[in-house]
Amino acid sequence: MKGFLFLILALLTASCFEQGDCSDVSSNVVQVNFYSNSSKTALTIELDSVKMVDFDTLMYVDKDLNKVALPLNPALNSMTYVFYYNNTEATLEIHYKFKTFALAPDCNAIDLITLTEATSVTAQSPTVTQPNLTSTTVENIKLYF
Amino acid sequence: LKTLSCIFSALLLVSISTTAQVKQEKDSVEKVRLTAVRVSGDIVNIIKSTIVDDFKGWEAAVDVELKHYYPILEIGSWSRDVSLANGHYTNSGNFWRVGVDVNLLKKDPVKNTLFFGIRYGRSSYDERLDYVITTKEFGQENKSLENLNMKAGFLELTTGLRVKVIGGFWMGYTGRLKFAPGVNESNQLQSYDVPGYGLTYKQPWWGFNYYLMWKLNFKKKPTTSSP
């Protein structure tokens, strides 16, 4: 009898223990910080704009900034951005991959994005400092001008 | 989960300490030989299949009696169909576990069993995730991912009780502390649930089975006495 009571108790409580943590720190935004090519220190750029190639989207028009946050398309595995500044341009190409998790019942399925490569056409080769994109990351890529 | 882990750990500790406290039996001259085979059907998974919407499964086991040791093979199957906030996860697969239980009640005349044991489990399964990713820059993106022919291994510590009810009919339960799931993580879709183990993000995880059993005893060969 005690065994059956334990069985019923176990069945009734089993689903409680399946509740997971719904907290989601995933992000599709890559944090790009600007650095001086010569001194390697933080650099503020007078940006004319940043263009998201293939999407005809202009961002950060006429801004003085030392960092930008660039969104990555979850349907693709690479994105290209062109930085226009001081009548010149620099192209940043970002490659990335996904790991997908179902967090728990009634929580979201999420894509965690990991940067696999970042290349620049005209600026010095960028450095990936933190490949994993999360909502709390302050720098993923160092971009040199 | 921590509470359950503690309970399991405590049960195992009690079992182990009980063993330590039992006076060491003098080695009997009785040879270790196959004296019984027992077939078990689990009712927890059957009941769970009827009352829990996202689960369908069954489990069965067969163990043999070798003195105080019970080598056991467990087989089963389960599928899950889980609703997520932004999608749907399904899996389906089969699993087996092999291991051995050690009976602590060494002097029980009918061989009722208070045991602890260990298992190694393997699972083969398919899983699929359909979900929607929404970003403010690119809107909604419908995605479907699938892992086919997945394999996973895991370990368990077990403890439980098996009691003779009448004739060859027995009943009993097994509590399981599951750990060390080895799952292929190279695919984009990370396994959410492994049949036989459970939720991969729960480490350790636990399991419980209540068995109805039929035990077939092998009669001892009659000894011929010389005049």
Side-chain angles (χ1 to χ4, degrees), chain B residues 16-163:
Chain B
I16 292 164
S17 62
T18 306
T19 315
Q21 287 167 8
V22 171
K23 288 182 181 177
Q24 194 174 3
E25 283 184 90
K26 290 182 180 177
D27 291 338
S28 66
V29 293
E30 185 187 348
K31 288 180 181 177
V32 175
R33 66 182 189 88
L34 180 63
T35 50
V37 63
R38 186 164 37 201
V39 179
S40 310
D42 168 52
I43 59 172
V44 169
N45 280 299
I46 292 172
I47 295 172
K48 190 176 171 186
S49 296
T50 60
I51 64 175
V52 178
D53 290 337
D54 68 5
F55 179 89
K56 293 280 181 285
W58 58 269
E59 278 193 51
V62 57
D63 66 300
V64 295
E65 187 177 84
L66 295 170
K67 207 171 178 184
H68 309 305
Y69 304 98
Y70 295 81
I72 187 167
L73 169 67
E74 298 166 333
I75 59 170
S77 174
W78 86 38
S79 61
R80 297 203 61 182
D81 188 337
V82 181
S83 291
L84 304 167
N86 63 340
H88 204 74
Y89 171 87
T90 57
N91 75 353
S92 178
N94 303 311
F95 60 90
W96 54 260
R97 308 184 194 99
V98 292
V100 64
D101 294 325
V102 180
N103 188 8
L104 305 179
L105 305 177
K106 295 182 178 177
K107 292 181 177 176
D108 191 278
V110 295
K111 295 208 169 184
N112 290 320
T113 310
L114 170 65
F115 68 89
F116 72 90
I118 191 166
R119 304 278 188 279
Y120 171 71
R122 290 288 293 175
S123 177
S124 59
Y125 59 101
D126 300 332
E127 60 186 346
R128 180 184 175 88
L129 175 66
D130 300 291
Y131 65 113
V132 179
I133 289 291
T134 304
T135 58
K136 63 180 181 183
E137 301 85 4
F138 304 100
Q140 288 193 337
E141 176 69 23
N142 293 308
K143 291 186 162 188
S144 291
L145 298 171
E146 200 169 40
N147 289 335
L148 300 176
N149 301 315
M150 291 288 286
K151 309 283 184 198
F154 54 92
L155 293 171
E156 294 181 353
L157 292 176
T158 58
T159 187
L161 195 65
R162 296 179 192 126
V163 180

Side-chain angles (χ1 to χ4, degrees), chain A residues 63-76:
Chain A
K63 302 277 188 186
D64 291 353
L65 297 170
N66 60 6
K67 61 183 177 182
V68 290
L70 304 177
L72 301 181
N73 190 331
L76 302 174

Side-chain angles (χ1 to χ4, degrees), chain B residues 32 174 216:
Chain B
V32 175
T174 300
L216 179 64

Side-chain angles (χ1 to χ4, degrees), chain A residues 33-117:
Chain A
N33 294 357
F34 302 152
Y35 290 86
S36 164
N37 195 14
S38 54
S39 65
K40 310 300 182 195
T41 56
L43 179 71
T44 298
I45 298 286
E46 295 177 20
L47 284 172
D48 297 324
S49 66
V50 177
K51 182 184 178 186
M52 193 189 302
V53 176
D54 295 332
F55 289 91
D56 294 329
T57 302
L58 285 179
M59 302 179 293
Y60 302 111
V61 178
D62 294 327
K63 302 277 188 186
D64 291 353
L65 297 170
N66 60 6
K67 61 183 177 182
V68 290
L70 304 177
L72 301 181
N73 190 331
L76 302 174
N77 287 101
S78 69
M79 294 281 290
T80 304
Y81 292 89
V82 181
F83 295 79
Y84 297 98
Y85 62 101
N86 297 336
N87 297 318
T88 56
E89 62 183 63
T91 303
L92 176 64
E93 188 171 311
I94 302 169
H95 296 264
Y96 50 98
K97 64 181 181 181
F98 302 93
K99 280 204 180 293
T100 303
F101 297 83
L103 290 179
D106 300 324
C107 297
N108 277 328
I110 62 165
D111 281 342
L112 288 184
I113 297 176
T114 300
L115 304 179
T116 55
E117 188 181 17

